[in-house]
């Protein structure tokens, strides 16, 4: 008898046993393909000394695979109705801890210190709820958590934006924010048919490997991100126009912006999506003294 949770039959049986109905507001889509789950886990390169953090375990399909591949797995689940189900489905695994919290409000650092004592290698592995994918990824990166990286399933279009290279239509401030902290790659495309309920869009798995140092060294990180955001405010506009309208008092400081672009050897007529992280770093550092 196949004990895996992630089969259509077993998933249906668990949902029926508990009378569980999906909440659209929580973006719940459960995976029902064991091979795909095993592949996702394999991208994380876990060993028996690794810790795994999961977000949105659902009925435990991925959690189970993580428990088998790691020393300890800690999962954050926001939906109280799933707690008794998880207690049941994950009962064979001693090395799993479910935390009933919204990960966006949780002190993940404190949880890691408490739950992963003596574990040095920690990965986040998750099938993320689609409506909050970006805030979750940004929280994990901005809080400089001691993780090796993140392997997560998300909407394919968001994955495309995260791993996009300069000069492509998907490249934008999200690509830069994530690639500043990590090396990003899309490792797998996942069809909608392997979920219940089926989402309207295809999914992808991305792997983010944390950099030892950020991709570029900048004087002021917050300002660097402010400059990149402003540069993409209106994609058809030139850098000069976007920065003049997007930076505080930019209109009064048009001359300074022009000078900073020239000092960074960047043509004012270029568009944001053509600039590499290095060029944005140079530009932000040149602009910095005029805005602080």
């Amino acid at each position: 008898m196949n004990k895996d949770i992630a089969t259509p039959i077993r998933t249906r049986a668990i949902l029926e046993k508990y009378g569980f109905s999906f909440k659209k507001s929580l973006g719940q889509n459960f995976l029902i393909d064991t091979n795909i789950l095993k592949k996702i886990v394999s991208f994380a390169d876990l060993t028996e000394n690794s810790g795994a953090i999961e977000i949105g375990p659902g009925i435990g399909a991925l959690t189970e695979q993580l428990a088998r591949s790691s020393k300890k797995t800690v999962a954050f689940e926001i939906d109280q109705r799933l707690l008794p189900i998880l207690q049941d489905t994950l009962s064979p695994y001693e090395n799993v801890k479910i935390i009933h919290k919204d990960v966006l409000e949780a002190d993940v650092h404190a949880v890691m210190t408490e739950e992963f004592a003596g574990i040095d290698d920690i990965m986040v592995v998750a099938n993320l709820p689609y409506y909050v994918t970006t805030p979750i990824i940004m929280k994990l990166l901005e809080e400089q958590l001691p993780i090796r990286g993140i392997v997560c399933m998300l909407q394919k279009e968001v994955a495309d934006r995260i791993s996009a290279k300069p000069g492509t239509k998907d490249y934008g401030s999200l690509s830069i924010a994530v690639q500043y902290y990590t090396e990003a790659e899309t490792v797998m495309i996942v069809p909608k048919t392997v979920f219940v309920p089926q989402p309207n869009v295809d999914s992808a798995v991305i792997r983010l490997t944390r950099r030892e140092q950020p991709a570029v060294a900048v004087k002021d990180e917050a300002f660097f991100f402010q400059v990149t955001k402003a540069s993409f405010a209106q994609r058809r506009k030139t850098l000069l126009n976007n920065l003049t309208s997007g930076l505080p008092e930019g209109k009064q400081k048009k001359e300074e912006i022009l000078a900073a672009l020239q000092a960074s050897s960047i043509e004012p007529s270029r568009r944001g999506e053509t600039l590499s992280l290095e060029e944005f770093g140079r530009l932000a550092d040149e602009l910095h003294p005029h805005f602080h």
Side-chain angles (χ1 to χ4, degrees):
M1 162 85 183
N2 179 356
K3 282 286 182 227
D4 286 316
I5 294 167
T7 61
I9 292 171
R10 180 107 197 267
T11 298
R12 199 173 304 125
I14 293 166
L15 297 175
E16 277 171 10
K17 175 178 173 183
Y18 285 91
F20 183 84
S21 56
F22 293 92
K23 261 196 190 157
K24 227 184 166 134
S25 64
L26 293 178
Q28 289 169 331
N29 300 92
F30 298 166
L31 271 160
I32 49 171
D33 185 315
T34 311
N35 288 333
I36 286 182
L37 286 164
K38 288 186 167 143
K39 252 189 162 155
I40 293 171
V41 174
S42 75
F43 289 125
D45 292 321
L46 301 170
T47 70
E48 64 254 24
N49 298 317
S50 302
I53 297 173
E54 189 189 3
I55 294 148
I59 57 173
L62 177 59
T63 327
E64 165 180 75
Q65 304 295 337
L66 290 169
R68 292 174 187 170
S69 307
S70 67
K71 186 166 189 175
K72 183 169 190 182
T73 295
V74 173
F76 290 89
E77 179 51 66
I78 193 172
D79 188 351
Q80 187 146 14
R81 303 171 307 152
L82 286 164
L83 302 181
I85 303 182
L86 287 163
Q87 207 174 352
D88 175 5
T89 58
L90 298 172
S91 57
Y93 306 100
E94 304 269 297
N95 59 340
V96 173
K97 170 86 179 261
I98 305 294
I99 295 177
H100 178 220
K101 265 196 183 132
D102 177 351
V103 73
L104 288 172
E105 288 166 17
D107 182 343
V108 182
H109 236 291
V111 168
M112 288 175 71
T113 308
E114 196 172 314
E115 300 294 338
F116 294 124
I119 298 178
D120 297 328
D121 180 60
I122 301 166
M123 282 293 280
V124 176
V125 187
N127 168 22
L128 290 176
Y130 285 173
Y131 71 108
V132 284
T133 302
T134 308
I136 290 174
I137 290 175
M138 289 320 299
K139 173 188 164 105
L140 297 171
L141 298 179
E142 283 164 358
E143 292 187 0
Q144 307 275 340
L145 299 171
I147 55 176
R148 173 161 50 88
I150 301 171
V151 171
C152 64
M153 166 102 71
L154 32 68
Q155 267 171 289
K156 182 178 175 300
E157 55 151 342
V158 181
D160 289 344
R161 280 166 47 212
I162 284 176
S163 57
K165 297 280 171 265
T168 62
K169 68 171 176 38
D170 290 317
Y171 183 71
S173 47
L174 179 62
S175 330
I176 292 164
V178 175
Q179 292 172 35
Y180 175 80
Y181 295 109
T182 69
E183 290 186 39
E185 51 186 333
T186 298
V187 287
M188 186 179 172
I189 306 299
V190 182
K192 49 186 105 147
T193 47
V194 299
F195 296 92
V196 4
Q198 275 192 32
N200 307 330
V201 292
D202 280 330
S203 305
V205 178
I206 58 166
R207 176 166 54 197
L208 306 175
T209 309
R210 217 177 66 149
R211 298 177 188 273
E212 290 290 313
Q213 295 293 331
V216 287
V218 291
K219 289 177 190 163
D220 179 336
E221 220 166 73
F223 183 66
F224 167 76
F225 289 125
Q226 195 181 357
V227 169
T228 58
K229 263 206 176 76
S231 302
F232 289 96
Q234 292 184 290
R235 291 192 82 94
R236 295 221 165 79
K237 279 191 165 179
T238 64
L239 264 178
L240 181 61
N241 287 342
N242 266 334
L243 292 170
T244 335
S245 50
L247 288 175
E249 295 176 24
K251 289 197 172 52
Q252 293 88 318
K253 296 185 175 171
K254 190 163 185 173
E255 288 310 310
E256 288 91 327
I257 294 173
L258 205 48
L261 282 160
Q262 278 157 346
S264 327
S265 320
I266 295 166
E267 285 292 320
S269 59
R270 282 174 66 184
R271 293 198 175 132
E273 66 257 33
T274 66
L275 268 69
S276 65
L277 265 84
E278 290 70 24
E279 289 178 303
F280 272 120
R282 277 208 311 272
L283 178 57
D285 282 356
E286 290 290 347
L287 285 164
H288 190 263
H290 303 296
F291 288 88
H292 286 80

